[in-house]
Amino acid sequence: MATKVKQRPSFEMSQALYQQQANKFKPKRNVLLNSIRAFWVGGAICLLGQAIQNFYISVFHFTEKTAGNPTVATLIFISVLLTGLGIYDNIGQYAGAGSAVPVTGFANSMASAAIEHKSEGYVLGVGGNMFKLAGSVIVFGVVAAFVAAIVKVILNMVT
């Protein structure tokens, strides 16, 4: 007597049906609220930077041009300190791109990668992984500056 093989029911789903089902469970993003949060937090970071720059100008008698470097260094220090304390991550969760776009976001990405790999040692862990996220930004900046310089040289030769 031959045994019958049971066939499993087919659960194949078309791509369109799958997308329709997946969209039912996908969380809705509130783009307007996220944009407002990013705008005001990014603006607050820039306002803090302007206040620090005005402080350096008025107290240490820097010019606007010479106050820029210590202002950026101070913002980077504050960002790294807040990252180390775990506060900047909360700001990033709330503000999104508003906290990632200024120089503080760049400092946060470097510091968080370094903190994450601290257990592997200072040379191979911190030093080797510090530029993991920020390395692409540095490379893009260098390449973009190189391309802009080439375009400028060509335009100067033409005119």
Side-chain angles (χ1 to χ4, degrees):
M1 180 160 155
T3 59
K4 291 186 179 179
V5 177
K6 286 187 177 180
Q7 290 190 351
R8 291 184 177 176
S10 176
F11 290 110
E12 290 185 27
M13 188 180 293
S14 70
Q15 185 69 23
L17 184 60
Y18 174 78
Q19 286 297 329
Q20 184 182 15
Q21 290 293 326
N23 286 336
K24 287 180 183 178
F25 299 102
K26 189 169 151 182
K28 303 292 183 215
R29 293 185 300 161
N30 191 342
V31 176
L32 180 63
L33 180 63
N34 291 345
S35 298
I36 291 170
R37 286 179 178 176
F39 178 78
W40 87 260
V41 171
I45 292 171
C46 294
L47 181 66
L48 174 66
Q50 187 63 50
I52 292 170
Q53 184 175 16
N54 290 345
F55 172 78
Y56 285 134
I57 290 170
S58 65
V59 173
F60 297 113
H61 306 292
F62 285 123
T63 64
E64 277 191 44
K65 190 173 184 179
T66 58
N69 290 339
T71 300
V72 171
T74 304
L75 285 172
I76 289 171
F77 174 76
I78 292 169
S79 173
V80 169
L81 181 67
L82 292 177
T83 299
L85 296 173
I87 297 170
Y88 203 89
D89 292 336
N90 295 335
I91 295 170
Q93 286 291 324
Y94 175 78
S99 65
V101 173
V103 70
T104 55
F106 184 70
N108 170 263
S109 71
M110 290 184 67
S112 62
I115 290 169
E116 182 179 339
H117 297 284
K118 185 179 134 190
S119 63
E120 298 172 20
Y122 289 112
V123 174
L124 295 176
V126 174
N129 292 301
M130 186 170 20
F131 294 104
K132 189 178 272 184
L133 294 174
S136 59
V137 175
I138 293 170
V139 169
F140 178 76
V142 170
V143 170
F146 179 75
V147 170
I150 297 251
V151 169
K152 185 176 179 182
V153 167
I154 291 172
L155 288 176
N156 284 340
M157 290 172 63
V158 172
T159 57

